[in-house]
Amino acid sequence: MATPVSRRALLKGAGWGGLAYLLAGDYAANTVAHWNTTTRLTKYPANDPSLRGKRRAVLYFPGVLADGTITIQPVLSQLVARADVFAVNYDPYRFVVTDVIQSAAHQLWEAGYRDLIVFGQSCGGCVGIDFARTNANQRNRFNIRLITHDAPDGVDTLVPGYWAYLSYLLRPGPLLNLLSPFVFGRFPVHDLGNLGAGADPKLVKAGEAAMHDSFLSCYVDQVRYLVGLLGLVGYQPVQPHELSSLVQAGVAMCSIGVDGDTTVGNDGLVKWVAAHRIQRALAPAGSTIELPEYVRMPHIDNTGYPLEVQEGLERAFARIRL
């Protein structure tokens, strides 16, 4: 004889089932409402009028929850000295890397640019690598020089990495986005009395405000992208043979790492060093693939430690011969 199910168990099952349907509906609502994502490019003309509107441009991809128009400010003078600069701002509600890459490439190609300096920081470094990967398979493709700054290279290079797998279970939409201010309000902020030399406290606070105004739906999309899954979706770690293919496609690349990083750990640095060592042996003469440069600072902090970031960027420029 079957054991009768208690009323409490039925209510508990109905509650969990209802929650699952609610969360699924929340995710579906976000996907439908923001099906077409928007990638905004903000243009900063080159200082030298003779460089404006020419074939070369800088394309800047910021990190997770970052406003590209804010985080680019500490290095903007270095970039506009070389070309027109375009800072990317991701869609605030959804992060779809293929949309970001296609939109940015289309806008720049239509504007007549053919030579790109792609500068990506943290998550933006991974986007930059995927931009170069996609570009290598296009009939009409850019000439690319790629600089990655503190980019992770797979979930095993994130500190800690295991939490990131939760992004496959949690799919926020309008409902969970209501919790965004509470979640991001608990993220660490700068100690304004302990900033690096040259830091502007107003810019630091503006960056923090942009983070606090972000939405969980975009944040979880970004984390899920960084994690990747079984070689099927999301960012996939770079293989040495792939670096060789990128070089043969005309990509000059330099990676900047951070010693003592609190987000991309030493495993990340070790992987980049190993990949670049192999690449230096494989690269044809004239290719510029170098080992990372290290500076002591927290994970990608342009506004808090501008001089360190500027130094690393200048070294990268020298490596890729700019």
Side-chain angles (χ1 to χ4, degrees), residues 6 57 144 261 265:
S6 69
I144 291 179
D261 191 309

Side-chain angles (χ1 to χ4, degrees), residues 227-249:
V227 171
L229 182 65
L230 302 178
L232 300 175
V233 296
Y235 176 79
Q236 302 304 320
V238 173
Q239 303 299 321
H241 68 80
E242 184 180 19
L243 284 176
S244 181
S245 297
L246 289 176
V247 168
Q248 291 171 9

Side-chain angles (χ1 to χ4, degrees), residues 56-78:
R56 175 180 287 181
V58 177
L59 177 60
Y60 171 66
F61 290 114
V64 170
L65 299 182
D67 183 324
T69 62
I70 294 175
T71 55
I72 199 175
Q73 292 302 318
V75 296
L76 185 57
S77 62
Q78 293 172 279

Side-chain angles (χ1 to χ4, degrees), residues 3 19 21 59-60 68 71 110 163 172 179 184 201-202 209 225-226 259 271 275 279 303 310 313 316:
T3 304
L19 179 61
Y21 275 110
L59 177 60
Y60 171 66
T71 55
E110 289 298 306
W163 61 269
L179 300 176
F184 298 134
K202 291 183 179 179
Y225 162 69
L226 291 176
D259 187 13
K271 288 183 70 174
Q279 181 51 44
T303 60
Q310 292 164 11
L313 189 55

Side-chain angles (χ1 to χ4, degrees), residues 282-303:
L282 296 175
S287 297
T288 310
I289 304 294
E290 296 290 341
L291 298 180
E293 300 288 345
Y294 303 98
V295 293
R296 289 192 173 274
M297 56 178 279
H299 178 70
I300 292 303
D301 194 356
N302 293 8
T303 60

Side-chain angles (χ1 to χ4, degrees), residues 187-266:
F187 277 28
V189 296
H190 291 83
D191 176 3
L192 296 182
N194 192 32
L195 298 175
D200 180 352
K202 291 183 179 179
L203 199 60
V204 170
K205 297 303 290 183
E208 292 176 350
M211 177 188 69
H212 294 156
D213 290 340
S214 301
F215 294 100
L216 276 171
S217 54
C218 180
Y219 173 64
V220 174
D221 278 352
Q222 290 175 324
V223 173
R224 189 162 55 249
Y225 162 69
L226 291 176
V227 171
L229 182 65
L230 302 178
L232 300 175
V233 296
Y235 176 79
Q236 302 304 320
V238 173
Q239 303 299 321
H241 68 80
E242 184 180 19
L243 284 176
S244 181
S245 297
L246 289 176
V247 168
Q248 291 171 9
V251 178
M253 178 176 173
C254 180
S255 296
I256 306 171
V258 175
D259 187 13
D261 191 309
T262 56
T263 301
V264 179
N266 288 334

